[in-house]
Amino acid sequence: MSDNPYRLPRTVLPYRYTLALEPDLAAASFVGHVVIDANAAEVADRIVLNAIELGIDSVRVDGEDAPFTLDDTTERLVIDRAVQPGSVTLEITFTGTLNDKLRGWYRSTYTDADGNQQVIATSQMQATDCRRAFPCFDEPDFKAVFDVTLIVDPAHLAVSNGPEVERSKQANGKVAVRFAPTMPMSTYLVAFVVGPLEATAPVMVPRLDGGEPIPLRIVHVPGKGHLTAFGLDVGAFALRWYQDYYGIPYPTEKCDMLALPDFAAGAMENLGCITYRENLLLADPTTSTQLELQTLADVITHELAHMWFGDLVTMKWWNGIWLNEAFATFMEVACCDAYRPDWLRWTSFSLERSAAFEVDSLASTRSVEYPVEAPEDCDGMFDVLTYQKGGSLLRMLEQYLGEDEFRRGVSHYLSQHEYGNTETGDLWDAIEESVMSGGGPEVPVRTLMDSWIWQPGYPLVRARLEGSTLVLEQQRFAYGDTDDATLFVVPVHLRIDGEERKVLLESDELRVAVPSADASVVVNAGGHGFMRVSYDATLRARIEQQLPQLTILDRYNLVDDAWNEVVAGRLAAADFLAFVEGFSADRDLAVWQAIAVGLRGVGRLVEGDAHAAFQQRVAALVAPAMADLGWTPLAGENDLQAKLRGLLAGLLAVLAGDADAQSRCRAIMDDPAASGADPELIAAATNAVAAAGTDADYDQYLARFRNADTPQEQLRFLYALAEFPEAAQIDRTVDLAFSGEVRTQNAPFLLNRCIANRWHGEQAWEAVRRQWTVANEKFPNNTIVRMIDTVKLLTRPDVVADVQSFFSEHPIPQAAKTLDQVLERQRVNAALATREAGRLPDALA
């Protein structure tokens, strides 16, 4: 038996599961039978596999009864039967519970049109919860074929990874629905869903190899079929686009996308049976904002990217999960950009990259990849460093190599390793081989990427001119002073007097000849590098003189870098305000998004008269831009212009406290149709009215949450309940989150917003603090640290001390590193507040 409590022995290797499950939805239970065909690689005195929260009725090995023990501590089923090298067959009967913790095979509910509660049995196996559904070798490199049969009520829909191939009546009145065997895949990708559900007619998507087309469906609760068209359109586009990009046909027979009422994650890439939260698959495009639709498109394309990168080719162990998710993040943006070029998806990705910068600037950040012993150690990988930093690093590599070279390398990697398991370095080697074989220059892909993957942080690249020489220096970025000597292999794109060139900054300094001492230089031109840039006074002055000529991303980065200099203590908040006032003529959404982040940050640094003075400065900056766009949407305008109008309206009404903007927002909410407002203005007005809302408004919002027509509208009104200005209103919202009326997947995020409330966040934190045990019992494990993330905004010294002390005694084991980052960021924000306490009010006076 293996001495490692987290890794099974490699003596018995499964290659096929024949599984039958019969759920009892009313009793929240199931019975099961599994036959596991395996090969014994060597002599073994016992067989060890995984099982937890299951009742094992019987075990047979090669047709003979075998003694067994269940070890709940190690989550193992140990079968005391010796085996010789060769084939071996395990047969196990068992029972289980459809749990309420949204993992394994679990119970989800909804209320039907007649007001009756309906129950669904659905699954979420990643990372190690397949063992809660049936005994299995529950590690990613134990790939096997799964032949699944579900025995269900004939009125219920049953869905699994493969298409339905057989249906037979049972003596008890149920039907046995058998699904086609899967390709060899990992246990964490197994899925089965049963219940009173409906499916759309399939959209038939052509297959790259000319074979049978791929039937694409959306499965949903009854009555929501009218919300499926957008998701089907995105899904069909993505299936075509990915086959073309990878040069590999879709790896299984069908594609079902399921909208589930209860789901702890955003979505899950189960092969051919992808599960989603309802608000991430179902939408009405006529009432949804651009961000709401883009989020759907992002999540759908992300999950479909996994069908190849993750499902067809899978990491050997959980340390590699970051690459699965980072690559799918990269691909979602690329695919979404192809689907809707007008959304400028690579530009908006800069906002997400900034979120990764925020965490990666901390001393408590982590390397992208790190050793994982226990599977739960990888829980900390499901964060911005995996998704946004990892995706950004792949984008940086792609832009340095060239899009075609990168694409060929990815295709080579997938073809080389299909149906197998890999380590991270296998991708870098495949890309490097592909570049070399294509006649391209020798590029040290593994060396380059290892410097980013295995080291925490990222560089601040300083740029200065010495005569006609551009001097680039790198040092790890930090909030505050640092002598950290970490060096990265940095691909730097330069724009010198309008001409582009690429250099590799491999040491602490690189000197680059420029045409003259008067040269204009943009470092990280195009904005795709994972770095911040600090220019000397001469270069910065030249850049500021040519702002209109810079790309949107270049201008975004200037603002974003400036705000982070404030947080780091190298730029005064008042100087930041003056700097962004130089962008008053800008009309690009991304630039204003960066400005808004900084303005909201500054707004939290002032109170009283200084806050009123700050509001006047915000109004003076924002009002001209809003006047240019107008409060009435224009026929034919693009989505991003409408989105900018909504952003500016919110800044005026909420951050600036502008009475006219508040009045206009209330008029929109009173009668959206008469106002002519589009979804962007309606969404902005929803928050604006809440931020100054009365108790009557609160009651109306609560009713709108309870009776919403779409998942997006429901969440919009739910989360707006955290924006209200009165202490008693926030108390009501906190109570609502704990009441059980709000789904457990959403309640932690409602509490997150309550803690972020500008006026009553401390009160909300106190309430969560008091009910900490209840929160941990009620809510999914992966949402707990997200629930308290916004304590980093609470900066009064006594509150900081309380928060830090509380978590020293109440750790979050499943997110220990993320909690460290939240607490450090709170200390960084508190230091910022202390620095600015005297000088910012004086500057605003």
Side-chain angles (χ1 to χ4, degrees):
M1 186 167 174
S2 171
D3 293 332
N4 186 332
Y6 307 111
R7 303 297 296 270
L8 295 173
R10 264 51 191 170
T11 51
V12 176
L13 308 175
Y15 62 86
R16 186 183 185 94
Y17 293 78
T18 303
L19 174 67
L21 292 169
E22 182 175 351
D24 183 334
L25 301 187
S29 64
F30 61 91
V31 297
H33 175 267
V34 64
V35 175
I36 306 174
D37 295 312
N39 287 314
E42 57 188 74
V43 174
D45 60 358
R46 62 185 61 184
I47 302 167
V48 185
L49 62 162
N50 297 113
I52 186 70
E53 296 179 0
L54 296 174
I56 305 299
D57 296 329
S58 67
V59 175
R60 294 169 68 85
V61 177
D62 291 333
E64 296 183 1
D65 291 339
F68 62 89
T69 56
L70 266 175
D71 186 335
D72 289 345
T73 303
T74 59
E75 303 184 358
R76 288 179 171 182
L77 171 62
V78 180
I79 304 171
D80 292 310
R81 176 60 55 85
V83 293
Q84 299 295 317
S87 63
V88 59
T89 299
L90 313 179
E91 184 177 359
I92 306 169
T93 59
F94 55 94
T95 59
T97 299
L98 298 172
N99 67 76
D100 289 318
K101 292 296 286 182
L102 311 190
R103 61 181 186 172
W105 208 14
Y106 69 89
R107 182 175 173 272
S108 176
T109 63
Y110 69 90
T111 302
D112 65 20
D114 297 324
N116 299 314
Q117 186 183 77
Q118 300 291 341
V119 179
I120 303 165
T122 186
S123 61
Q124 169 62 20
M125 306 305 193
Q126 192 183 54
T128 58
D129 289 319
C130 192
R131 64 192 67 177
R132 299 176 195 277
F134 60 95
C136 58
F137 294 79
D138 201 11
E139 296 180 16
D141 65 336
F142 283 115
K143 282 195 165 183
V145 170
F146 294 85
D147 185 334
V148 176
T149 297
L150 298 175
I151 301 166
V152 302
D153 186 309
H156 289 167
L157 182 67
V159 185
S160 189
N161 301 94
E164 180 180 327
V165 293
E166 185 181 344
R167 178 176 288 252
S168 57
K169 292 181 179 180
Q170 304 294 290
N172 62 2
K174 293 187 176 182
V175 293
V177 183
R178 181 168 173 255
F179 301 90
T182 68
M183 71 181 189
M185 68 179 195
S186 303
T187 50
Y188 79 90
L189 299 170
V190 174
F192 18 79
V193 180
V194 176
L197 298 165
E198 295 178 348
T200 63
V203 174
M204 307 307 289
V205 181
R207 191 177 291 273
L208 182 67
D209 58 8
E212 288 294 318
I214 308 152
L216 170 69
R217 302 186 302 174
I218 288 180
V219 176
H220 55 88
V221 303
K224 296 190 177 182
H226 64 292
L227 302 176
T228 60
F230 182 78
L232 285 169
D233 190 60
V234 175
F237 177 90
L239 286 172
R240 293 190 299 269
W241 192 84
Y242 282 135
Q243 291 184 94
D244 181 61
Y245 184 95
Y246 296 129
I248 298 172
Y250 179 67
T252 191
E253 297 97 326
K254 59 92 173 177
C255 184
D256 285 328
M257 303 194 296
L258 294 85
L260 300 175
D262 298 284
F263 196 65
M268 180 61 208
E269 65 269 20
N270 313 304
L271 180 72
C273 186
I274 307 169
T275 45
Y276 299 80
R277 290 189 180 201
E278 286 186 324
N279 70 296
L280 297 176
L281 184 59
L282 306 177
D284 179 353
T286 66
T287 62
S288 299
T289 66
Q290 186 274 338
L291 179 60
E292 289 165 346
L293 292 179
Q294 179 187 294
T295 301
L296 257 75
D298 282 350
V299 175
I300 292 168
T301 55
H302 181 105
E303 302 310 321
L304 288 171
H306 275 308
M307 298 299 103
W308 291 262
F309 207 107
D311 293 9
L312 181 64
V313 179
T314 313
M315 71 276 162
K316 285 183 179 176
W317 183 241
W318 296 108
N319 61 296
I321 192 65
W322 81 266
L323 185 57
N324 266 17
E325 299 303 339
F327 191 85
T329 300
F330 168 83
M331 291 304 299
E332 90 186 33
V333 182
C335 185
C336 195
D337 190 57
Y339 176 67
R340 287 295 299 267
D342 57 311
W343 284 353
L344 302 181
R345 190 62 188 87
W346 281 117
T347 299
S348 62
F349 185 61
S350 57
L351 265 181
E352 298 162 47
R353 183 168 53 241
S354 295
F357 279 145
E358 179 179 318
V359 173
D360 215 23
S361 301
L362 302 170
S364 56
T365 189
R366 62 167 176 84
S367 56
V368 173
E369 184 165 345
Y370 56 83
V372 169
E373 184 177 3
E376 55 265 28
D377 292 344
C378 81
D379 289 349
M381 283 191 177
F382 293 93
D383 64 1
V384 294
L385 296 178
T386 284
Y387 290 82
Q388 279 70 40
K389 180 180 180 179
S392 297
L393 296 180
L394 292 168
R395 175 65 167 173
M396 180 173 69
L397 177 63
E398 179 215 42
Q399 291 296 290
Y400 184 67
L401 296 177
E403 293 182 8
D404 290 341
E405 292 287 1
F406 181 83
R407 178 177 178 172
R408 278 196 294 271
V410 169
S411 181
H412 175 52
Y413 165 82
L414 291 172
S415 298
Q416 192 175 47
H417 298 287
E418 62 183 4
Y419 308 114
N421 298 83
T422 61
E423 302 279 6
T424 297
D426 295 328
L427 175 61
W428 313 144
D429 292 345
I431 292 174
E432 196 167 317
E433 288 171 15
S434 179
V435 171
M436 297 279 289
S437 66
E442 184 174 350
V443 179
V445 176
R446 182 188 275 258
T447 301
L448 189 160
M449 294 306 290
D450 280 354
S451 81
W452 293 91
I453 299 309
W454 293 104
Q455 298 186 126
Y458 64 96
L460 171 66
V461 176
R462 291 188 170 91
R464 71 177 190 276
L465 279 179
E466 291 183 0
S468 58
T469 299
L470 171 66
V471 182
L472 301 177
E473 297 174 329
Q474 65 160 304
Q475 184 175 28
R476 181 175 167 183
F477 184 94
Y479 289 135
D481 297 328
T482 180
D483 56 2
D484 191 304
T486 300
L487 293 177
F488 301 86
V489 180
V490 190
V492 183
H493 291 239
L494 302 172
R495 189 180 303 115
I496 302 172
D497 291 338
E499 294 189 5
E500 305 266 348
R501 62 181 296 189
K502 303 174 187 177
V503 297
L504 207 57
L505 175 58
E506 300 181 74
S507 61
D508 57 353
E509 181 182 287
L510 178 67
R511 305 176 77 86
V512 180
V514 297
S516 73
D518 298 323
S520 174
V521 177
V522 176
V523 179
N524 193 23
H528 299 296
F530 198 76
M531 69 194 80
R532 292 204 181 278
V533 179
S534 177
Y535 296 95
D536 71 0
T538 300
L539 287 173
R540 179 171 288 278
R542 291 176 188 173
I543 288 172
E544 290 177 4
Q545 290 171 3
Q546 53 174 328
L547 286 180
Q549 284 75 52
L550 298 180
T551 67
I552 299 173
L553 264 180
D554 289 336
R555 302 197 308 277
Y556 171 92
N557 284 340
L558 284 173
V559 176
D560 189 48
D561 288 346
W563 170 242
N564 277 272
E565 290 291 276
V566 176
V567 178
R570 293 185 283 267
L571 182 69
D575 293 335
F576 171 81
L577 276 178
F579 175 66
V580 298
E581 284 167 344
F583 290 80
S584 60
D586 207 303
R587 296 295 179 267
D588 278 302
L589 172 66
V591 177
W592 276 99
Q593 287 173 319
I595 292 171
V597 169
L599 290 178
R600 292 184 184 116
V602 174
R604 283 189 171 264
L605 300 173
V606 286
E607 305 285 350
D609 291 343
H611 185 257
F614 166 74
Q615 288 182 309
Q616 291 176 7
R617 289 280 290 272
V618 173
L621 173 60
V622 176
M626 189 66 197
D628 276 0
L629 267 65
W631 282 84
T632 304
L634 304 175
E637 70 181 358
N638 65 53
D639 286 357
L640 299 190
Q641 185 173 359
K643 188 175 180 178
L644 175 59
R645 180 184 293 106
L647 172 64
L648 295 175
L651 288 175
L652 268 179
V654 179
L655 198 62
D658 181 81
D660 178 65
Q662 291 175 344
S663 176
R664 289 175 180 270
C665 287
R666 182 164 288 280
I668 290 170
M669 293 307 293
D670 287 344
D671 194 343
S675 71
D678 61 6
E680 301 293 345
L681 276 176
I682 292 171
T686 302
N687 282 334
V689 169
T694 65
D695 288 344
D697 293 324
Y698 190 101
D699 291 339
Q700 185 183 50
Y701 274 44
L702 186 58
R704 294 288 298 272
F705 154 67
R706 289 168 171 162
N707 301 289
D709 292 328
T710 69
Q712 290 72 30
E713 182 184 355
Q714 183 182 63
L715 289 180
R716 201 183 294 165
F717 281 101
L718 174 65
Y719 293 148
L721 295 175
E723 305 296 328
F724 277 77
E726 299 297 330
Q729 295 165 336
I730 297 305
D731 279 343
R732 287 183 68 183
T733 304
V734 171
D735 290 345
L736 178 70
F738 281 103
S739 69
E741 179 177 354
V742 178
R743 292 189 184 275
T744 58
Q745 67 196 25
N746 297 326
F749 297 95
L750 179 59
L751 292 168
N752 168 290
R753 286 163 171 78
C754 288
I755 296 171
N757 185 281
R758 174 70 169 82
W759 310 111
H760 305 294
E762 294 175 6
Q763 165 190 318
W765 157 244
E766 273 298 319
V768 171
R769 189 187 193 282
R770 287 193 304 271
Q771 300 183 77
W772 187 249
T773 301
V774 176
N776 280 270
E777 291 171 352
K778 274 180 171 283
F779 306 145
N781 286 347
N782 67 332
T783 65
I784 299 300
V785 78
R786 293 176 172 88
M787 175 180 70
I788 58 87
D789 175 74
T790 45
V791 297
K792 65 192 177 188
L793 302 175
L794 308 179
T795 57
R796 277 203 306 124
D798 59 319
V799 180
V800 173
D802 175 67
V803 170
Q804 304 277 324
S805 173
F806 179 83
F807 285 113
S808 70
E809 298 176 4
H810 299 82
I812 305 176
Q814 69 272 26
K817 176 58 74 173
T818 305
L819 177 60
D820 288 344
Q821 293 158 359
V822 171
L823 297 177
E824 184 186 350
R825 183 56 196 251
Q826 184 189 36
R827 298 192 296 271
V828 168
N829 288 344
L832 168 62
T834 300
R835 281 196 308 272
E836 296 291 346
R839 65 187 184 187
L840 180 56
D842 289 344
L844 289 168

